[in-house]
Amino acid sequence: SSFGVVDKVNKKSASRLREALQQGNTGIPLLIMLAQIRQKILYKTSKKDIKLIGNLYDSCYTVLGLLLEFLTIPGEWEDPSSPQVITNFGSVLPSLGDLMSVYGLDTAMAWTLGRPLVRAAMFAEESIREKMEQEEGESIGLEKDSRKATEQEIPEMLRQWLPCSPKMIQTYSSMLPEHAWKYLSPSLFETFWSHDLYDVFTPRSRYEAVITRLKKEAERLTALQQKRPRQGEITFQKADEMELERVKKHSHRLKIEQNIQVEHVRSIKHKFQGLKDSFLSSLQPTDVFEHTAQAFLTHCVLPRCLLSPEDAMFGARFVQILHNLDTPRFYTLQFIDRLVKVCVGSLFCITEDEAGNLAVLLYETWITVSGWRYNEKYEKDVKKMQGSIMNEIDQPTSFEEFVELYNTWHTSLGDALVGCLKSKEYIHTRAALIVLSRLVRVYPTRPRIGEQMFHHLKPLQEDDRRQDLKAMANAYAAQLMKARDDGVWKEENADQAKERLEAEQAKLEERKLKAEQTKKDMENDKFWKQPQPQPWRGTGHPPSNANPRNPRLGDPHRRHEYPHQRGNFDRRPPEHGDRGPPSHGRDGGGGNNRPLRPGGSVGIRAIPPPPPANGGGKPGLGGRWERGGSGAPPPGPRHKVDGRGGSGGGGDHGEPQAKKQKTFTERASPPRGAGERTRNGTNNTTGGDGGHGRPHTGDIRRSGTSSRRTGGGREGSSGRR
């Protein structure tokens, strides 16, 4: 429903609203206007959008049904036996004849508005008859004398709505075309239109499910009431007490209501048993055999079943009752054959709600037909009855002929649904998906139609332009696959099932392998995006293909990580113990050629170099190797802890670490005469130690030190800049 379900209702507001609608002559005119608008929306409208017109058409009946139920059915807070609600409604509503002739309503809508009064009159007649039976102590039949006696006890307002009253019988002749009465009797016509789903079906499973739920809720609340509360636990409050009382009351009421409905359905079936001979026996046998099934479907079943799901289920249940009662001259197979043909054509000209209602009718019918076909019930339930006659009078249909007939129905319905799925019209495809979703537990039963469904669902599942159809197609495909695995495809043999399972298993394994490969590729991409450790780290000897500017990078065109190689490096001084940029001496001995850890040049701790190959020396402070052997010390860390500069191959300065560095663009030729150069490469203008191995990239500090490249390279002088 478009309006949802509301559990808690304001009783006073609902009563006052109903009173205003009934006494102010507002509710009945609204119902009639909604029924008139619904009939004019399809043809007398300026709208050209079929989807919009269909939604308006369906919404009209939805609102009409809710308003009709509100005006005719007492609420929970009211006495169900109180005639006040239905009396107020009947005092304003026109008769059936006036609804059709004066207000222009069709047969289905006129009966929809008048059925609450018809059923109220029937209930009043039944209650009076039961009362008379109890007083007289014997059963009272449906003879004319007994009917007249009971009619006198019925209120005058309801008396005119009795189906067997002279006024109603006179009205029936104007409800159908004149030629239709050659194939239908007034008794069958009024019996079908005057009864409701409540009269022919008891939803036992639904009653039991709700009663069980209410019992569990009552047990939970009772346990909470008897439990001694502890600190911090939920206690039994006044609202819980009211809820417990309400749950117990509803559970008790549902039990009583279920028993009453079971008894009522039994009495209605008993009534049908007495009326079955008057349904079609008075008609000509030839007319009944050739036209009655089509006339009954056209003028009774189909117009009512398209209104609501309840009416659709009633139509299917009514036909089953006629078949089970073995009604004379009612040929069930003929009716089902006409029904399938009508449904095949109707799929291309119905709205969404009508498609759902039609699916309910087909579902209830196909359950019965499928049971006859596959559960070996045909010989017992059909062959010995009037309903088995199909092609010739008094010639029952054999089981082999019925199987061929079933296959024809199955194929015809399947071809129509496939055609709707292939159609470019939106409403055709949506109607087919609605019908298929409702029938998925009973149809299709043959593998060929099922495979066609899967094939024609694929384009809809890949259609991104119509997301609603795509979602419906995906949902139905999953339901159809589950139904197939559960055995709904009853004609699928063992070899076909085995072959299908093997193919599905192979596809599943292929998908698993593809998913694993995708996962591996993703992991590899993630691995290579991170800086990788070098296998030669710590050896001090980069591979031959390493970038001379940065031994960690093999591609010289790759963006360098070291700030001094980018030309505009961070001016922050490296922290104590951190490792600065490597220096590369021309002779290979000046500076540190070992790479840094992944992650950049600033903030990386110095890695102690390995011991010399000949075992000489020992590690000193700050990762520096002190001389203690005959071998030359390995290249040490960039920054020393003790601030002393090395000589020869050491090449490191002992300058304070807080000194700022200049960018590559600030490098300039040293001014002449800035200081006297000595042979050991130191400058007399500063008091710090000098050293070889300064980087050739122009790492010039603001202090007064300078350096030269080892091996007779360019020398620099220092000075304040």
Side-chain angles (χ1 to χ4, degrees), residues 125 129 140-147 270-271 274-275:
E125 182 184 19
R129 185 181 294 110
I140 298 177
L142 300 177
E143 291 79 9
K144 292 184 178 180
D145 296 338
S146 62
R147 285 185 178 275
H270 180 70
K271 176 184 175 180
L275 294 174

Side-chain angles (χ1 to χ4, degrees), residues 362-531:
L362 284 174
Y363 179 84
E364 296 294 333
T365 304
W366 209 266
I367 287 179
T368 304
V369 174
S370 181
W372 295 343
R373 167 65 179 84
Y374 298 108
N375 298 340
E376 300 180 357
K377 295 182 179 181
Y378 182 81
E379 298 291 339
K380 178 182 178 181
D381 298 343
V382 184
K383 190 173 182 180
K384 298 179 181 180
M385 295 184 177
Q386 291 278 337
S388 63
I389 296 176
M390 179 66 189
N391 298 321
E392 298 181 7
I393 299 179
D394 299 332
Q395 184 66 33
T397 304
S398 64
F399 180 72
E400 290 75 14
E401 295 174 340
F402 172 72
V403 171
E404 295 180 1
L405 189 61
Y406 175 85
N407 294 339
T408 303
W409 297 340
H410 194 282
T411 304
S412 300
L413 187 59
D415 292 343
L417 291 169
V418 168
C420 289
L421 293 178
K422 294 175 5 180
S423 175
K424 296 182 180 180
E425 184 63 44
Y426 170 86
I427 196 65
H428 295 168
T429 306
R430 189 168 180 85
L433 290 173
I434 292 173
V435 173
L436 287 171
S437 299
R438 299 286 181 90
L439 298 178
V440 69
R441 301 305 305 173
V442 296
Y443 181 90
T445 58
R446 307 186 69 191
R448 186 180 69 84
I449 298 296
E451 294 298 337
Q452 288 184 8
M453 296 296 178
F454 278 121
H455 176 71
H456 293 289
L457 282 174
K458 290 181 179 179
L460 297 175
Q461 293 176 281
E462 299 173 356
D463 188 3
D464 295 331
R465 296 179 295 106
R466 299 182 291 186
Q467 291 294 330
D468 54 343
L469 295 183
K470 180 179 179 180
M472 292 182 66
N474 289 329
Y476 174 68
Q479 294 175 1
L480 184 60
M481 187 176 299
K482 184 178 184 302
R484 179 194 61 187
D485 297 338
D486 293 343
V488 177
W489 295 10
K490 300 185 182 295
E491 295 189 24
E492 186 180 31
N493 56 38
D495 295 337
Q496 291 177 344
K498 183 178 180 181
E499 182 179 356
R500 175 176 55 80
L501 291 176
E502 291 178 354
E504 290 179 355
Q505 189 67 24
K507 290 182 180 179
L508 181 61
E509 294 295 334
E510 183 179 356
R511 286 197 298 268
K512 286 183 178 179
L513 293 176
K514 187 176 180 180
E516 292 177 358
Q517 184 63 32
T518 304
K519 184 178 179 181
K520 290 181 180 179
D521 294 342
M522 292 175 64
E523 291 178 352
N524 291 337
D525 293 342
K526 184 178 180 181
F527 177 78
W528 288 112
K529 286 180 181 179
Q530 297 178 353

Side-chain angles (χ1 to χ4, degrees), residues 293-313:
Q294 184 67 40
F296 182 60
L297 179 64
T298 303
H299 299 291
C300 295
V301 176
L302 193 62
R304 182 173 181 179
C305 291
L306 292 178
L307 293 178
S308 66
E310 294 81 6
D311 291 322
M313 185 174 287

Side-chain angles (χ1 to χ4, degrees), residues 51-71:
K51 181 180 179 181
L52 176 60
I53 295 174
N55 290 336
L56 291 175
Y57 184 81
D58 295 336
S59 299
C60 277
Y61 187 80
T62 301
V63 177
L64 186 147
L66 290 174
L67 182 59
L68 180 63
E69 182 179 354
F70 178 70
L71 294 176

Side-chain angles (χ1 to χ4, degrees), residues 67-222:
L67 182 59
L68 180 63
E69 182 179 354
F70 178 70
L71 294 176
T72 56
I73 299 179
E76 298 179 356
W77 62 92
E78 298 172 336
D79 185 6
S81 60
S82 176
Q84 186 66 29
V85 175
I86 198 67
T87 302
N88 295 337
F89 180 78
S91 62
V92 184
L93 185 70
S95 62
L96 283 178
D98 292 340
L99 288 174
M100 296 185 64
S101 60
V102 178
Y103 297 98
L105 303 185
D106 57 10
T107 303
M109 292 306 304
W111 273 103
T112 299
L113 297 181
R115 190 177 298 113
L117 294 172
V118 173
R119 298 185 71 248
M122 293 170 59
F123 281 128
E125 182 184 19
E126 183 180 355
S127 61
I128 293 173
R129 185 181 294 110
E130 291 178 356
K131 184 178 180 180
M132 294 176 63
E133 289 177 358
Q134 293 177 359
E135 292 177 355
E136 297 180 4
E138 59 182 2
S139 176
I140 298 177
L142 300 177
E143 291 79 9
K144 292 184 178 180
D145 296 338
S146 62
R147 285 185 178 275
K148 290 181 180 180
T150 54
E151 287 179 7
Q152 298 299 325
E153 301 292 335
I154 298 175
E156 183 178 357
M157 187 273 301
L158 296 176
R159 196 178 304 166
Q160 61 178 341
W161 292 95
L162 279 172
C164 56
S165 64
K167 186 177 181 180
M168 289 288 290
I169 294 175
Q170 185 180 0
T171 305
Y172 296 156
S173 59
S174 62
M175 290 186 172
L176 295 180
E178 185 177 356
H179 66 85
W181 293 111
K182 296 170 57 177
Y183 318 125
L184 294 175
S185 66
S187 177
L188 178 62
F189 180 79
E190 66 93 2
T191 302
F192 176 83
W193 284 106
S194 60
H195 290 82
D196 205 352
L197 182 62
Y198 178 84
D199 303 322
V200 298
F201 175 67
T202 303
R204 296 177 181 269
S205 59
R206 185 64 177 168
Y207 269 113
E208 293 174 358
V210 176
I211 291 173
T212 302
R213 180 178 61 82
L214 292 177
K215 281 184 177 180
K216 292 182 178 179
E217 181 67 15
E219 292 175 358
R220 185 188 69 83
L221 293 174
T222 303

